[in-house]
Amino acid sequence: MKRFVLLIFVLNTFNLFGQNFNFDKSGGIIWQCIYTTDMQSSDLHKSLHLSPYIHSIEKIDSTFYTARLQRSKIDYKSYGFSRMQLPIYLTNNDVVADVIIEYKQGKYRITLKNIDLKTITTMEYGTLNDIAIGEDGYFADHFIKDAGNIYHNNFKKWFELESISNDW
């Protein structure tokens, strides 16, 4: 029975973090998500400029863009949490990051890297790597429990770009 419970825990952990949070080649945490869209590359480019969450957008080519995540506050209340239920690094810090946008017909992929936590109090935290990775080199329990899901849900919502319509 203990093995079964452990197996379920491990599978759930890989399900969450295997799909969206991962490590890059240098060991830093990245977040990736693929969205489906009916937009063309030029429409995606226009939608990126309308997003309140990104700035400094650079078009590398018609399918590849880089940008910066605007300093953004994590919304945890919409997911049923109060400030006292969560780690202080989640409730007392805004997030900034480098953004990579890749486009293929019918979909686009967002990658966040160099995810930094910017303090809104007097406590300093640094990067998400400093907080989310335990001493063993894997995601820490406190990150797996709730924080990872809350970060994921916010990131996912921020990059759901809407098609631009000429109809008004």
Side-chain angles (χ1 to χ4, degrees):
M1 182 66 173
K2 288 181 183 179
R3 289 184 184 174
F4 178 72
V5 172
L6 181 61
L7 177 65
I8 295 299
F9 175 74
V10 169
L11 289 177
N12 282 337
T13 300
F14 283 124
N15 185 32
L16 167 66
F17 295 104
Q19 292 179 7
N20 297 99
F21 284 100
N22 218 327
F23 297 100
D24 63 13
K25 292 177 184 174
S26 65
I29 294 176
I30 62 170
W31 176 86
Q32 288 187 315
C33 192
I34 298 173
Y35 300 84
T36 57
T37 184
D38 59 355
M39 288 187 276
Q40 298 298 316
S41 178
S42 59
D43 295 331
L44 178 68
H45 187 229
K46 291 174 190 173
S47 291
L48 290 171
H49 283 282
L50 295 175
S51 172
Y53 297 105
I54 56 177
H55 66 93
S56 304
I57 302 164
E58 285 189 46
K59 183 177 181 179
I60 306 303
D61 63 34
S62 64
T63 63
F64 192 85
Y65 305 87
T66 61
R68 283 289 292 162
L69 177 65
Q70 190 84 323
R71 187 173 180 155
S72 301
K73 182 148 188 65
I74 294 295
D75 172 21
Y76 52 86
K77 292 178 183 174
S78 295
Y79 302 102
F81 291 95
S82 72
R83 180 179 199 85
M84 300 308 287
Q85 293 174 295
L86 297 168
I88 196 166
Y89 67 83
L90 191 142
T91 59
N92 285 355
N93 287 280
D94 295 338
V95 178
V96 296
D98 293 328
V99 182
I100 298 171
I101 304 104
E102 299 166 282
Y103 174 82
K104 286 186 179 181
Q105 189 66 39
K107 59 187 172 182
Y108 62 97
R109 179 171 67 183
I110 302 291
T111 303
L112 297 182
K113 62 181 191 171
N114 300 324
I115 304 169
D116 288 331
L117 305 178
K118 297 294 183 183
T119 187
I120 52 178
T121 66
T122 57
M123 302 176 88
E124 290 291 330
Y125 283 103
T127 69
L128 194 59
N129 286 11
D130 299 336
I131 300 300
I133 300 174
E135 291 179 11
D136 59 0
Y138 297 102
F139 287 105
D141 291 341
H142 61 83
F143 188 74
I144 292 171
K145 183 176 178 213
D146 294 318
N149 284 321
I150 292 170
Y151 278 116
H152 166 71
N153 290 334
N154 277 263
F155 295 163
K156 185 171 180 167
K157 182 177 77 174
W158 293 345
F159 292 102
E160 290 174 344
L161 301 174
E162 295 183 25
S163 297
I164 298 173
S165 172
N166 291 333
D167 294 337
W168 50 273

